[in-house]
Amino acid sequence: MKLAFAGLGVMGGPMAGHLIRAGHVVTGFNRTHAKAVEWAAGNNGTAAASITEAVADVDALLLCVGRDADVHDAVMAALPNLKPGALIIDHTTISAKLTRELAAITHDKGFDFYDAPVSGGQAGAVNGQLAIMVGGEQDRFAEVAEIVKPYTKSITHIGPAGAGQTAKMANQIAIAGVVQGVAEALHFTKCAGLDPALVLAAISGGAAGSWQMNNRWPTMDEGKYDFGFAVDWMRKDLGIALDEARDNGAHLALTALVDQFYSEVQAMGGSRWDTSSLHARLEARRKT
């Protein structure tokens, strides 16, 4: 297929590369054009200088950009230049409210919009092992699944427009709580004078075990916080979830608390540290 991919950062760049290796013709666009040129050179793709140029005659536009405004601007700029019937697949984590608005706007213009946020982080994007949760009409879900297959570990159609984004909010809520729990457990282990490696071996195979514990306990213990998904982006995602909760009546006390902890990490200079840096906040307190 002929595809356009907007947003070639740590997630979008590898994802678009997988599409090329699967045999698709992909034109990449990034607001920083030099990044698109670099991506094209490394992946045998084409770099477009504008979103309007990127979407000319494509079968689908895929997005993995930053925030609500970025998705809105990209989609509105692309619409006049998309051929009738083209798919729009948005991998960005944005609000369900904007997703529903864009789905209605694009439907009225003869296009189909699917929210398809991903989970798996930078490693999942690089290795083609992302979990994707999808919102949109059922009738073209199979087409969406086939397009994104090169970087998909699992894909689930959740419901109508916005349902994929809402499921991603649940994903981030769960991650925030688990990471805080692992960080506190490691912090407690150190304060108690125990060997973190021995404690990990003892508890990771039981009910306390998780991906976060197995993969981030050792790196937290070493003070390494450079594993992809930045605190700035996690706070953006948690803010979206907290906003949605105010509308649907959910009580997210733990999520609100961890969001505050992440604000303290930002104040420590950790805006670009990964989400496991909740441990750095605790260790800073321990050392004082």
Side-chain angles (χ1 to χ4, degrees), residues 176-236:
V178 171
V179 174
Q180 178 64 18
V182 172
E184 288 189 12
L186 175 57
H187 174 66
F188 176 84
T189 294
K190 291 180 174 181
C191 289
L194 303 179
D195 183 336
L198 289 177
V199 174
L200 176 63
I203 71 175
S204 60
S210 66
W211 187 97
Q212 295 292 344
M213 177 174 284
N214 290 334
N215 289 274
R216 291 292 162 259
W217 178 293
T219 55
M220 287 178 181
D221 186 31
E222 295 174 0
K224 296 179 179 178
Y225 306 113
D226 56 350
F227 295 93
F229 196 69
V231 167
D232 280 351
W233 292 115
M234 188 59 158
R235 287 211 72 204
K236 183 264 291 185

Side-chain angles (χ1 to χ4, degrees), residues 13 15 46 48 75 80 91 101 111 123 145 234 287:
M15 292 159 72
T46 301
V75 170
H91 290 307
E101 291 174 358
F111 306 104
M234 188 59 158
K287 291 172 182 177

